[in-house]
Amino acid sequence: MSILATGKDLMRVNMGPHHPSMHGVLRLIVTLDGEDVIDCEPILGYLHRGMEKIAENRTIVQYLPYVTRWDYLATMFTEAITVNGPELLGNIQVPKRASYIRVIMLELSRIASHLLWLGPFMADIGAQTPFFYIFRERELVYDLFEAATGMRMMHNYFRIGGIAADLPHGWIEKCLDFCDYFLTGVVEYQKLITRNPVFLERVEGVGIFGGEEAINWGLSGPMLRASGIEWDLRKVDHYECYDEFDWEVQWQKEGDSLARYLVRIGEMTESVKIIQQALEGIPGGPYENLEIRCFARESDPEWNDFEDRFISKKPSPTFELPKQELYVRVEAPKGELGIFLIGDQSSFPWRWKIRPPGFINLQILPQLVKRMKLADIMTILGSIDIIMGEVDR
């Protein structure tokens, strides 16, 4: 801690990278005048693992296990975006049943992500109890994931043209039971938190920005919708089969930390509505498009070939990505998760640029915390909802 020799006695403090409220290894260099924040500079890169460069040296199927390490709380979305790009490039159709199962998994993942946002956010502003409550429901979501995919967090479940395996026997009934139970849990959260005067004192009017400002900063997801902009890619881009379900876009117009909390609580309820409709209307049929085997390249039976170096029981199909470029996006829990993909008539992508929502949303943090109190930094940072795995990639 050093004191700057200026007209005023300002203090420069490091918050992080190892700080209990930092949501990952983020470092903030905060300039303080007493308790008032004069300036704040986020320092990134402590969790950089070269994910974009790794993609250029892997086939899509080989790269799938890596992508769940970007946003490790909303893993289904990173898998979805990874297979959506090649599907659009190769014009591959996804069977109806696979599309319904994908929607169910994506919305369960959204609930799990919002739950693990809510607990630490409440802990940041001084409420410990919800932190233990959210793990109760989140474990049930992970039980469902484990039953369907075999893994609790890093699923490796999506495939080009479908999914890896069909739902096991009894899974749909188990998921419907969870939906009924979870709705009572959300009511419990609202009783405990939403009208709590101490909570309202900490979040109401803290970290305000308007709709025009949010658009200018390129914000997305709950950050954008809490500022009065009714924008959800599930409604805008009509991907998967979201158009077949009856649900509402959650938005607020206040633009403060409370509005962002209310948007996420509302989204969890809407996700349950989508899951229930998908489970009740799930069609029969195949869970993957078997025609995609036609996209597999014929390899010469030489041991020097790339495909033959990796000997396994079931060789992964390799797809030749056409010489095109494409931007594809999904509505992840934190905002617009996008990938800019360039093919080069090879099984490897020539360029794989990730657009993580957390990285873009974090840009506005220095502006929001200026002229606020030191304790408000944690409230504002928590309401942005960042995961450093996807910010640093």
Side-chain angles (χ1 to χ4, degrees), residues 73 112 115-116 134-142 153:
L73 301 182
L115 283 174
L116 205 56
I134 63 111
F135 278 100
R136 184 182 56 192
E137 277 82 26
R138 186 169 165 269
E139 283 303 302
L140 296 174
V141 177
Y142 280 10
M153 277 188 78

Side-chain angles (χ1 to χ4, degrees), residues 201-234:
E201 195 72 32
R202 286 300 307 270
V203 296
E204 221 169 350
V206 173
I208 300 178
F209 55 87
E212 191 180 339
E213 204 174 350
I215 292 169
N216 290 342
W217 280 96
L219 307 183
S220 56
M223 291 283 284
L224 182 65
R225 290 192 287 277
S227 305
I229 310 292
E230 213 172 331
W231 175 268
D232 192 307
L233 294 179
R234 293 172 288 178

Side-chain angles (χ1 to χ4, degrees), residues 15 28 30 37 365 369 373-382:
M15 290 185 77
L28 299 178
V30 187
V37 179
L365 177 70
V369 300
K373 297 292 182 188
L374 177 62
D376 290 330
I377 292 182
M378 284 351 314
T379 306
I380 294 168
L381 182 67

